[in-house]
Amino acid sequence: MTQDNPPKDSTPQDAAAAARASELKKMALCDSCAGIQRNWRKAPGHPELVQGNNRHETRRGGLVAITSYRCDRCGTAWEYENDKSNQQAGWSVVGR
């Protein structure tokens, strides 16, 4: 039996539950990433975040800088939006 082939006595519900559990495991954040306060400007990241590209986007308050990061430990992709007119800007998870 391989991981790709479920046991013969499993049900479609078992397969669906296993697929959901697998997807959740893929999206699990490391402890450092789980500790990042999201959507709050000036919240700190953590030392294992590696900075990527910067871009600028227009918002209501003007032009804002958005910087991409990737965690070296768990691979989570983050963006940090530095919008001085929006206190709820800040860190957000954008993928794996």
Side-chain angles (χ1 to χ4, degrees):
M1 180 171 71
T2 66
Q3 285 184 338
D4 295 334
N5 298 327
K8 298 221 185 270
D9 60 344
S10 71
T11 66
Q13 291 82 9
D14 292 336
R20 278 192 302 275
S22 175
E23 194 61 32
L24 287 173
K25 185 176 180 183
K26 288 179 194 172
M27 289 302 294
L29 301 175
C30 67
D31 290 340
S32 297
C33 281
I36 294 175
Q37 184 177 5
R38 298 183 198 183
N39 303 315
W40 195 254
R41 203 166 121 349
K42 293 192 177 183
H46 68 78
E48 291 157 332
L49 291 175
V50 178
Q51 186 173 336
N53 296 327
N54 294 327
R55 69 179 191 277
H56 290 89
E57 292 187 7
T58 303
R59 297 282 192 262
R60 245 180 305 145
L63 202 60
V64 299
I66 299 175
T67 307
S68 63
Y69 292 84
R70 180 163 302 276
C71 178
D72 262 350
R73 188 187 303 178
C74 67
T76 301
W78 291 87
E79 285 187 344
Y80 183 80
E81 182 176 331
N82 190 12
D83 182 350
K84 294 176 181 162
S85 66
N86 179 5
Q87 188 61 39
Q88 274 79 44
W91 293 103
S92 56
V93 173
V94 294
R96 292 287 282 173

